[in-house]
Every structure is written in structure tokens, then in C-alpha cells.
Amino acid sequence: MMGRIDTPVRKVLNYAADLFLKTYPVVYVHTVIGTDSGGRLAVKGLFISDDEQGFRQAAELSLKVNFEILDKPLKKVVVWMDPAEFRSAWLCNKSIYRTRMAIADKGELIVLAPAMKEFGEDPQIDSLIRKYGYHGTPRVLAWVKENEDLRDNLSAAAHLIHGSTEGRFKVTYCPGALTKEEIEKAGYTYEDLSSMMKKYDPEKLKDGFNTMPDGEEIYFISRPALGLWAWKGKLGD
């Protein structure tokens, strides 16, 4: 549903707003954030309304500003997680769900996460992620039925689904403060951060396609939270 304006979830939200909020003075404020010519964050649009039109206009602009549509699926994607922002898998997994529509079957996503030290943003979520891991939708749905702790925390269950590749491609995490055992137990592949930073130096890479000294082609993303990536074959209509 990501990258689309009209979705089942949006229809539910609109229905609820029409049914319950018509008599309240609700105002919706939407911003579209991109980068300027110098690579700095910049507001590209501000939309304020008391109905869904502001959302629709913001979404239409966001498709132009934030959505990267590629001509071919990507075999290897390297994502940099800014240590000032990303310290947990809960946040670092933006690298997965923002790029999944662009990555080729059997491809690889390498996540450089120097400040990553935990899985959840609070102790309860962290414990649940460590207990169950990212092992695909069918297993998570079964766990929800079988386990009260996960059933009582559906946001954690949803996160476990969002963070899974459903076995379609590999995620290699390079965290600053989590061990190989912790990463692999969660369902990902582990690589040493320092060695991978030497191979894929964010200071030397440019956003988009890069050809490495050994001839390897990678696609680099420095700000995954700002965009959505997909190749044309995943978009259907």
C-alpha cells in the first residue's frame, strides 16, 4: 500500500472521520519534506485543510518529491542510518520497508547502523522483538494466536511483519552495539560495522547507483526516512 494515495486503510480513516468527527473543528496539517540543492532538509509543501483534500494534495506532491521509481530491481542496496536519529531496530527497519519494493528477489540490503543498540524503543517492545524475531507474516500471525504477550501488543506484531522480507531478499545488519548472536537470533545476517564501513564508506558514496573499485554495483541511500523506492515491475497499474 505504500506509495499509493487510495488504500483500504485510508478509506477506513476517511469513513471514521466522516462518521465521528464532522461536528468537531478538526484541522489537518500535512508537510512534504525533501532536500534543497545543497542536500539540506527543506519543506517542499504545506497543506492545511479540514477535509481530505489537504492530504490528497500533499500525497500527490510527495509522490513527486519522495518516490524514486527505478527501471530495474536492485541487487544490492546499502543504507546509512544516521546515528543521531536511528538507535533501534524499531527505527532502523525503515531501511527495509522503504526499499522492499525496489530490491530484487535474492538481493541484499546492507544496513550500516553505528548507533543501533537495541531492538525496541521501550523495554517491553524490545523484549518481544528479541523473543520472536523477524520471521515472516505466517509465523507472526500464528504466534499472535498462540501467545498472549504478542496478542496484547499488536503494534509489536505489526512491526515484526513490517521488518520481515518474507524470505525474498537478505538483510545484513551492521550495528554499532548489538552482537552477532543478537542479530542472527532476530532473523537477520550480521556483518562487522567497521569492516563494512571501510568497504562502503558513506562519506565517499553518492545517493543512487555507485560502482565500487572491484566493479560491484550498489545503490546507496543516505536518508531512508525521506523516501520510498520501487522498481516499475512492483507497481502494477
Side-chain angles (χ1 to χ4, degrees):
M1 292 191 296
M2 295 186 73
R4 299 182 183 275
I5 296 174
D6 292 305
T7 67
V9 172
R10 174 52 50 185
K11 290 178 181 178
V12 170
L13 292 174
N14 288 347
Y15 174 78
D18 289 340
L19 189 62
F20 299 112
L21 300 180
K22 280 291 189 181
T23 59
Y24 293 90
V26 178
V27 175
Y28 304 98
V29 180
H30 304 276
T31 58
V32 178
I33 306 296
T35 55
D36 61 18
S37 58
R40 296 176 294 269
L41 295 179
V43 176
K44 298 295 185 177
L46 173 64
F47 301 87
I48 303 173
S49 69
D50 60 1
D51 58 19
E52 71 168 314
Q53 292 309 308
F55 162 76
R56 299 190 71 86
Q57 292 175 28
E60 288 169 1
L61 177 60
S62 181
L63 286 174
K64 298 174 183 177
V65 172
N66 306 116
F67 201 178
E68 296 286 341
I69 300 176
L70 305 164
D71 291 327
K72 63 179 182 178
L74 305 174
K75 294 182 179 179
K76 181 169 286 189
V77 178
V78 177
V79 177
W80 167 250
M81 308 307 296
D82 187 338
E85 298 180 54
F86 300 99
R87 301 180 179 89
S88 68
W90 185 271
L91 297 179
C92 286
N93 276 2
K94 283 182 185 290
S95 62
I96 298 174
Y97 60 78
R98 294 296 181 95
T99 63
R100 68 166 72 249
M101 292 192 295
I103 299 177
D105 292 350
K106 308 301 181 183
E108 182 179 12
L109 170 66
I110 298 173
V111 186
L112 305 175
M116 184 174 166
K117 61 180 182 179
E118 57 198 358
F119 288 96
E121 287 287 287
D122 63 64
Q124 183 182 24
I125 295 288
D126 188 79
S127 176
L128 289 171
I129 296 172
R130 289 174 183 273
K131 178 179 179 180
Y132 293 102
Y134 305 92
H135 297 288
T137 300
R139 293 180 72 176
V140 174
L141 294 178
W143 288 331
V144 168
K145 290 182 179 179
E146 298 165 1
N147 298 276
E148 185 177 3
D149 57 355
L150 198 56
R151 191 163 56 249
D152 288 343
N153 202 321
L154 294 180
S155 63
H159 170 75
L160 296 178
I161 291 173
H162 293 162
S164 171
T165 70
E166 309 299 339
R168 193 173 64 78
F169 58 91
K170 181 170 74 170
V171 175
T172 299
Y173 254 108
C174 311
L178 288 174
T179 67
K180 182 176 187 290
E181 290 72 23
E182 288 173 309
I183 292 295
E184 291 181 346
K185 184 179 179 182
Y188 298 133
T189 300
Y190 173 91
E191 286 289 349
D192 176 68
L193 177 64
S194 60
S195 62
M196 294 299 274
M197 288 279 286
K198 291 177 182 177
K199 185 174 183 179
Y200 304 110
D201 186 347
E203 295 294 327
K204 297 179 180 179
L205 298 173
K206 67 179 188 298
D207 279 287
F209 289 103
N210 293 259
T211 300
M212 307 308 293
D214 61 0
E216 179 187 41
E217 183 182 72
I218 69 163
Y219 192 93
F220 178 65
I221 298 171
S222 64
R223 286 174 167 164
L226 274 189
L228 182 66
W229 290 260
W231 75 283
K232 292 178 180 178
K234 282 288 184 182
L235 297 179
D237 58 358

